[in-house]
Amino acid sequence: MRLPTLPKPPIPKSFQDAPSRPGEAEPAKPLEQAKEAGIHVAGWVDERTSLSGGIRWLFFRKVPKGTNWFYTLGSATMFAFVSQALTGIFLAMYYTPSPTQAYESARHITNDVFLGEFVRGMHKWGSSVMVILIFLHMARTFFFGAYKYPRELNWIIGVVLVILTFVMSLTGYLLPFDQRSYWATIVASNINGTGPLVGPFLSDFLRGGADFGATTLSRFYAIHMMLVPGLIAALIGAHLYLVAKLGTTAPPWLRAETDEKLREERV
Ligand code: HEM
Ligand code: HEM
């Protein structure tokens, strides 16, 4: 038996077809309007700050022929740092830097906090990823001869960045305050103490005195959370400014060709 066909329900008047204002024939186009408003906001900000010039200068640069995947290692290191900073901020919301509570708070993050184990794992593994990437990036700039004139200063900033990254790994390692991190940090601060001239001073400074204790943990926490991340962020800013200003080095096998072109342009 055939079922009777039901009348089609009336098509509701879509948002697109509705007049923009009462009495106006033009249909409103919310997307278009939003885009226009967005452009106005961007224009308003740009008129007052000339921000677009800076963005164009930083991101829309010419790169030499032959630029390849090895050139992404610097940005990958930066991404690792940003990921460490973000996961670190979430960890800091639950972590307590006191000898009696540090271990318990780290255990609490892993066992009780929603996604805590995942975020802690990202931070822990991310620290190794950052160290590996920074080494690969350093090797790229070394083997491509990118440290030579006029980029020596960028290499020097890089050396400071790699040292600061080690400081982050060392200071972070103590924070969970378990047996492993406690004894590993005692060994590390003793090794520091064997350094010539500044050695004993440095290990006393790191420990916050002659003994390893509560002051050491607060000190490592402050260095890990504020001092060094701030320095790293500022130095990355200077590093990128120089990259944008000086341009990227061409790969060594195309260097002669690029140099020749530059010489021709200068004549
Ligand atoms: C702004 C940046 C950062 C903040 C706010 C931050 C914060 C923290 C906090 C609160 C902890 C303790 C929680 C825990 O032990 O799980 C921690 C641990 C740690 N951090 Fe960071 N961190 C930052 C960046 C880094 C970087 C750049 C590195 C290394 C390259 C690093 C390496 C470590 C390590 C190895 C631990 C011990 C992880 C564990 O064993 O659980 N952190 N960090
Ligand atoms: C947090 C660490 C670092 C970050 C975020 C970083 C970031 C970057 C980025 C994004 C670039 C441009 C693209 C590229 O060539 O990969 C670059 C270039 C460069 N970096 Fe780094 N870098 C870091 C550490 C280092 C280190 C440790 C060194 C060496 C000791 C170094 C030396 C250089 C040099 C010489 C250039 C210029 C490369 C060229 O002109 O071809 N950087 N860096």
Side-chain angles (χ1 to χ4, degrees):
M1 197 185 81
R2 277 191 66 202
L3 287 168
T5 41
L6 292 167
K8 278 187 185 162
I11 299 164
K13 226 177 173 2
S14 78
F15 190 53
Q16 287 281 331
D17 298 337
S20 39
R21 282 191 205 95
E24 242 181 28
E26 262 291 290
K29 296 207 174 84
L31 197 66
E32 248 81 307
Q33 282 175 355
K35 265 190 200 159
E36 218 170 84
I39 289 163
H40 282 318
V41 173
W44 189 91
V45 174
D46 197 35
E47 201 178 332
R48 282 149 188 86
T49 58
S50 304
L51 207 63
S52 66
I55 292 173
R56 223 172 294 130
W57 179 78
L58 190 64
F59 292 108
F60 296 85
R61 288 174 288 115
K62 279 190 179 170
V63 287
K65 204 166 92 181
T67 305
N68 53 38
W69 278 97
F70 292 119
Y71 287 75
T72 59
L73 288 165
S75 311
T77 314
M78 187 162 61
F79 179 77
F81 175 68
V82 170
S83 159
Q84 286 302 94
L86 291 179
T87 50
I89 289 167
F90 281 110
L91 290 175
M93 288 176 186
Y94 295 95
Y95 177 78
T96 319
S98 104
T100 49
Q101 287 163 37
Y103 179 76
E104 174 50 28
S105 67
R107 191 207 59 75
H108 171 66
I109 295 173
T110 303
N111 296 340
D112 311 323
V113 177
F114 176 64
L115 290 182
E117 192 176 3
F118 176 67
V119 174
R120 199 168 162 212
M122 268 183 81
H123 198 79
K124 196 179 164 73
W125 289 100
S127 63
S128 304
V129 169
M130 185 172 169
V131 171
I132 293 168
L133 284 172
I134 207 170
F135 267 115
L136 291 176
H137 171 60
M138 211 169 145
R140 196 292 279 173
T141 48
F142 178 74
F143 288 117
F144 280 38
Y147 57 86
K148 293 178 190 167
Y149 175 85
R151 298 185 183 81
E152 301 94 324
L153 192 58
N154 229 7
W155 176 266
I156 293 166
I157 294 175
V159 172
V160 181
L161 276 170
V162 80
I163 293 170
L164 291 178
T165 305
F166 293 154
V167 174
M168 287 304 276
S169 299
L170 175 79
T171 51
Y173 204 79
L174 177 69
L175 300 184
F177 223 59
D178 51 19
Q179 286 290 328
R180 192 205 304 243
S181 67
Y182 181 82
W183 292 108
T185 315
I186 288 194
V187 171
S189 72
N190 286 345
I191 294 174
N192 259 314
T194 61
L197 297 174
V198 289
F201 167 76
L202 199 68
S203 68
D204 275 3
F205 170 76
L206 279 176
R207 275 196 299 254
D211 300 316
F212 198 90
T215 337
T216 320
L217 187 58
S218 335
R219 205 158 268 214
F220 271 47
Y221 186 62
I223 294 173
H224 190 82
M225 288 282 301
M226 284 175 278
L227 179 68
V228 178
L231 286 175
I232 293 183
L235 285 175
I236 290 180
H239 199 66
L240 293 188
Y241 167 76
L242 287 181
V243 169
K245 184 173 159 46
L246 303 170
T248 315
T249 319
W253 54 92
L254 293 172
R255 185 78 39 79
E257 194 183 309
T258 319
D259 287 354
E260 186 58 36
K261 221 168 136 205
L262 275 177
R263 227 170 282 129
E264 274 168 20
E265 272 171 19
R266 248 179 247 139
V267 174

